[in-house]
Amino acid sequence: MRIITNNLRLFWQGTLLSYIALFVWLRPTTYIASKVLMPLAQILFFSFLGSYASGGTNVDFYVIGNAIQIVAVSGIFGVTLSIGGDRWNGTLPYLFGTPANRMMLFFGRAFMHIFDGALGVVIALGWGALLFGLDFSQTDLFALGITILVTTISTCGLGLMMGCLSLITANVMFVNNTVYFLLLIFSGANIVLETFPNWMQIISQMLPLTRGIASARLLISGSSLAEVTPLVLGELGIGIIYGWLGFYLFKWVENQAKRKGTLDLV
Amino acid sequence: MNTISVKNLKRIYKTTTGVIRRKTKEVEAVKDISFEISKGELFGLLGPNGAGKTTTTKVLTTLLIPNAGEVKINGLDIVKDANEIRKQIGFIFGGERGLYWRLSGIDNLRYFASLYHIEPEVSKKRIPYLLDLVGLKGRGDERVEGYSRGMKQRLHVARTLLHDPDILFLDEPTIGLDPVGAREFREVIRDLQAEKKTILLTTHYMFEADSLSDRVAVIDDGIIVALDTPSALKKHVRDLSVVEIETFGIAEIVVNKIRALPFVDAVSTREQDQRQVLLVQTERGAEAVPDLMKSLEGQRVGRVTVREPTLEDAYVRLVGGKS
């Protein structure tokens, strides 16, 4: 029981303090800009572009797709900075030199970004309603909330894996940007998945966001939670797989750092 | 039983160069070292840059796995029992990094307390006690980014004492501190000695090792070249005197010329503002001064003094005048 309490405390403190430690540089104006203006810019750009390309028939497709895809800002960039920040702060040897439970330490870094990411989606959907008349009158808002939360969790799972790369490469922001833009394509945020060749559709199904975006579109157009449950569970499953892969990568990186002594970790 | 036991420790680093034709090079940072540290002892580890001090410390703090040899701390194996050892040791690497600058001193300690599974009711009492111990009382609520280098180092000490470890590894803890900060830091180390902590201290500063250490190991090129008490090490050079010659802009070629003189045992230089002080070890003492001055003809020379050797001189002799 004591071990569980200790680990939960580590999870909570690690979550809260590491978030403050590594993100407090975001001044309120910078934070608000990243949460309010960036989603606005992305939605405007892709919605007008998509609307123009498709003859203005299905603007909701682009608004919803990009609003949900916004979770990648917190899920990929935020989580990566949370993990990589320890390398840049020089705190990594001190973390690896403690007897702390690595699982709590690792997953704790993503926790705040789940809520942060979900907030970003809510704001983005708000822009969609305000500027493009996105209609929620047929929407099961509870189900949409679950979809947003699960999509954020799954994207954070990918972010945790990307975060481990920040421990072994100095160019992780380049990798992150590439992944972010690949998600814009492969997640189906801006392109109908069925128009992809088969190999691209396979990749789409292996990524987070794909099922989350599909689920959100269905829910906003009036589908029930029961109808989107397979998509939501699939999204969650993808996130868990990436999260676990990230955790094992994290342990591998720690082990390699101690074995080879060639990484920048210690 | 010894608290720390190191037998035939070896640590190799592999480095690769080139993109297409990759070449792997092996560097033996620690070749074969053995030593033991008793409970409550302060053990100094001295050596020039790249001698293997930090590598040894990283192995002892479970941050590097040795390639060969046996390392035990409190009877526990450094590889198999790493997690248990981590509960019993604390460590500091020199420099300002290793803290969350955007957090307050107290929040840094709170976070590390949770990493060491310290109960909140314990850490609530221990954190103010440690801040007081390291002289940061009343400054704990401030963000670390506003701390001076000395304050950051002292916060590191508080961090490393959170779980009250019996064994401490201090890797060049006073590096970069101003003289007052370094002196205050040495006082903290003395307090820890008084608490019977077992301490391994690596340092470049000989007077620090001399004044604090019970025993000193001099490490050079991955091997221990001497291991004894500071006073016994000084006996290595008791037959010598040291001639200190103040010079201005002396060339390496001139230093080598002096090094080649038959009556000179070792030569090192110490930068001091705009000057370079030549430290010449010789059996001839003051009698060597005229010959040395002859070798320095054409050079701008300042004050010349002859003195008794120190631990630093013993160190210079042991590592071949490299520093």
Side-chain angles (χ1 to χ4, degrees), chain B residues 95-300:
Chain B
E96 294 178 284
R97 300 178 79 221
L99 294 163
Y100 296 101
W101 287 26
R102 300 285 173 161
L103 292 182
S104 68
I106 287 175
D107 278 344
N108 266 279
L109 297 179
R110 273 176 55 212
Y111 182 49
F112 279 99
S114 71
L115 292 171
Y116 282 98
H117 304 307
I118 298 167
E119 302 288 339
E121 55 270 25
V122 177
S123 63
K124 259 181 205 164
K125 289 177 190 162
R126 188 136 181 92
I127 289 171
Y129 163 76
L130 289 172
L131 287 172
D132 192 16
L133 179 81
V134 300
L136 288 176
K137 192 177 180 181
R139 307 293 299 268
D141 288 322
E142 295 171 28
R143 278 191 191 174
V144 170
E145 64 188 352
Y147 283 13
S148 68
R149 197 170 180 135
M151 288 166 75
K152 285 176 191 141
Q153 284 295 73
R154 281 183 273 153
L155 186 64
H156 265 304
V157 175
R159 176 194 55 72
T160 206
L161 293 173
L162 274 167
H163 56 300
D164 198 16
D166 289 329
I167 304 166
L168 295 168
F169 298 94
L170 311 177
D171 186 22
E172 299 185 23
T174 55
I175 198 160
L177 294 185
D178 61 52
V180 176
R183 192 175 59 193
E184 286 172 356
F185 198 90
R186 282 193 289 277
E187 286 308 314
V188 173
I189 296 175
R190 283 198 183 92
D191 290 343
L192 297 172
Q193 263 182 304
E195 285 185 30
K196 298 289 174 202
K197 302 276 185 200
T198 306
I199 302 171
L200 185 142
L201 171 76
T202 72
T203 178
H204 274 306
Y205 307 122
M206 300 302 138
F207 64 94
E208 194 167 275
D210 196 358
S211 63
L212 293 171
S213 306
D214 297 310
R215 284 189 306 149
V216 170
V218 179
I219 184 170
D220 185 31
D221 200 20
I223 55 169
I224 289 179
V225 293
L227 197 169
D228 221 322
T229 60
S231 55
L233 283 177
K234 282 182 222 170
K235 286 179 186 166
H236 282 274
V237 283
R238 67 179 167 189
D239 52 333
L240 299 176
S241 296
V242 179
V243 182
E244 286 194 2
I245 307 168
E246 224 175 53
T247 64
F248 299 86
I250 192 166
E252 188 60 30
I253 193 165
V254 182
V255 177
N256 287 334
K257 194 173 141 192
I258 292 172
R259 196 171 273 138
L261 292 170
F263 57 89
V264 170
D265 201 76
V267 181
S268 61
T269 53
R270 189 175 63 217
E271 293 289 330
Q272 219 165 48
D273 302 324
Q274 303 292 312
R275 301 161 291 168
Q276 297 83 45
V277 180
L278 278 182
L279 303 158
V280 183
Q281 293 184 17
T282 172
E283 285 179 17
R284 286 174 57 191
E287 286 175 21
V289 174
D291 289 330
L292 288 171
M293 298 312 285
K294 217 177 273 178
S295 301
L296 286 167
E297 261 177 14
Q299 300 288 321
R300 201 174 146 210

